[in-house]
């Protein structure tokens, strides 16, 4: 509220707080990103559904940690899978294991399947046989980056966290995306199922009550003012 100093010689007079501005902009930005009427957002030719600031954070974490495996739950057409696989190529190490139930007509784009660093597993990220398959695939790994972006209900996200969280080594990240749903800050009515059942944010709250070996990295989350994963950058300590 009041006058914001934005740099030398630059200030802005507004009648809402900085937090409110960021939250309103977050909602507008998210709605525009979800608007499929405009040109698609592509990464290396494949549709992607991420906040560019989060993507920047992810590449920084990956370059710092150089994990043996990325485990991704929820790929859709594979834009994010492609982004992670290309980042691993730049690092020169690691594979991404990506799981998607593939119920929709759109499947992984051919270039995602053909990428030398991708291992794609069709199926539900919480089904016992799929969890076992992922664990078998990454069994030689010592460090991981887990990113959860599949079904956004509390129960589902908690099950994913319970399945893949124990793999993480000290310092590794588990990212819980779309914790912005259900009032954090996106209006709850924008996602009916999450509003009714609780979503990723509520899953993180419950998980953190029982798992004191994780902390939330708020500094990383806030570097671009807002993130699609509020309180969702979890670090194993
Ligand atoms: C938001 S999209 C993923 C977007 C992608 N990560 C990106 O950034 O471009 C969510 C995906 O989760 C998948 N999904 C839904 N339920 C799932 C489940 N039980 N297991 C695995 N994937 C699931 C859907 O098929 C959909 O492709």
């Amino acid at each position: 509220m009041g006058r914001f100093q934005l740099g030398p010689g630059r200030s802005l007079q507004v009648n809402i707080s900085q937090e409110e501005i960021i939250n309103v902009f977050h909602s507008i930005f998210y709605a525009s990103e979800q608007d499929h009427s405009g040109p698609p957002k592509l990464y290396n030719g494949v549709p992607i559904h991420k906040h560019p600031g989060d993507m920047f954070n992810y590449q920084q974490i990956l370059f710092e940690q150089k994990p043996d495996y990325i485990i991704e739950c929820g790929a859709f057409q594979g834009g994010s899978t492609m982004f992670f696989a290309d980042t691993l190529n730049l690092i020169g190490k690691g594979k991404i294991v990506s799981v998607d139930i593939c119920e929709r007509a759109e499947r992984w784009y051919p270039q995602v399947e053909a990428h030398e660093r991708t291992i794609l597993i069709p199926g539900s990220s919480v089904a016992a046989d799929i969890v076992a398959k992922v664990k078998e695939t990454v069994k030689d790994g010592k460090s991981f980056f887990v990113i959860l972006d599949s079904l956004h209900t509390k129960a589902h996200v908690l099950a994913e966290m319970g399945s893949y969280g124990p793999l993480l080594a000290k310092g590794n990240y588990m990212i819980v995306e779309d914790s912005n749903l259900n009032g954090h800050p996106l209006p709850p009515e924008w996602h009916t199922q999450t509003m009714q059942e609780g979503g990723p944010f509520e899953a993180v709250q419950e998980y953190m009550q029982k798992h004191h070996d994780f902390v939330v990295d708020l500094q990383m989350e806030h570097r671009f003012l807002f993130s699609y994963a509020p309180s969702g950058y979890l670090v194993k300590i």
Side-chain angles (χ1 to χ4, degrees), residues 48-50 72 74-76 80 100-101 123-125 149-151 156:
I48 186 161
H49 304 275
K50 295 249 179 288
E72 176 184 56
F76 199 26
S80 53
D100 197 290
I101 204 162
S124 174
S125 52
D149 186 21
S150 65
L151 184 63
H156 183 84

Side-chain angles (χ1 to χ4, degrees), residues 71 97 99 119-124 127-139 164:
I71 297 174
V97 180
V99 184
I119 301 168
L120 308 182
I121 299 182
S124 174
D129 59 331
I130 299 297
V131 174
K133 201 168 175 177
V134 171
K135 287 186 175 169
E136 175 64 23
T137 306
V138 304
K139 67 172 189 260
Y164 304 111

Side-chain angles (χ1 to χ4, degrees), residues 65 83 99 104 118 132 135-136 147 164 221:
Q65 303 219 333
F83 166 74
V99 184
R104 305 193 207 180
T118 62
K135 287 186 175 169
E136 175 64 23
I147 179 152
Y164 304 111
E221 174 196 322

